[in-house]
Amino acid sequence: MQKKTAEKRNQADLATVLKLPQGRRLLWRLLQAGQLENHGFVPSDPYATAFHCGQKSIGLFLQSQILEVSPLILAQMRAEYLSERNARQQEINQENEENNDA
């Protein structure tokens, strides 16, 4: 298979995954595991630094692949994550209030 054909197929595969809420949630978790918001340096521990840099490298690769397919999808994925997290926090708060009233 030619390189351009493989790239187009890979982009189409990723676009299909990104259309599904389940796919966006999975990819968001993988991006979070990539520790993109943190630097990888661990003072006096070159092995931990290498490990974190490896995680970040994979996260950056995945992020670049996603941005090639759909530049705005990361914002959507983040919004969906925050919405679910806030809904879950509200459930927890409500349960706590009910337990405190009992």
Side-chain angles (χ1 to χ4, degrees):
M1 186 180 297
Q2 292 180 347
K3 186 175 181 180
K4 290 199 181 247
T5 304
E7 287 177 18
K8 286 183 181 182
R9 186 195 66 210
N10 290 342
Q11 288 179 344
D13 292 347
L14 184 55
T16 299
V17 171
L18 288 168
K19 289 178 185 176
L20 301 170
Q22 300 89 337
R24 291 190 300 274
R25 284 194 301 266
L26 171 66
L27 292 174
W28 184 258
R29 287 194 310 272
L30 293 173
L31 287 171
Q32 297 302 83
Q35 301 287 322
L36 297 179
E37 302 294 323
N38 302 318
H39 61 78
F41 180 68
V42 179
S44 70
D45 192 343
Y47 299 108
T49 297
F51 177 79
H52 291 294
C53 288
Q55 281 182 306
K56 190 167 188 168
S57 178
I58 296 297
L60 289 170
F61 169 78
L62 180 57
Q63 183 180 48
S64 72
Q65 295 291 299
I66 291 170
L67 290 173
E68 278 184 32
V69 170
S70 180
L72 301 177
I73 198 77
L74 287 176
Q76 179 183 347
M77 291 165 67
R78 184 176 191 277
E80 290 171 349
Y81 164 76
L82 292 174
S83 176
E84 287 184 22
R85 188 186 71 179
N86 291 340
R88 180 63 186 134
Q89 186 61 52
Q90 287 178 351
E91 290 174 9
I92 291 169
N93 292 344
Q94 185 176 0
E95 289 173 7
N96 288 340
E97 286 177 12
E98 290 171 0
N99 290 337
N100 290 337
D101 290 341

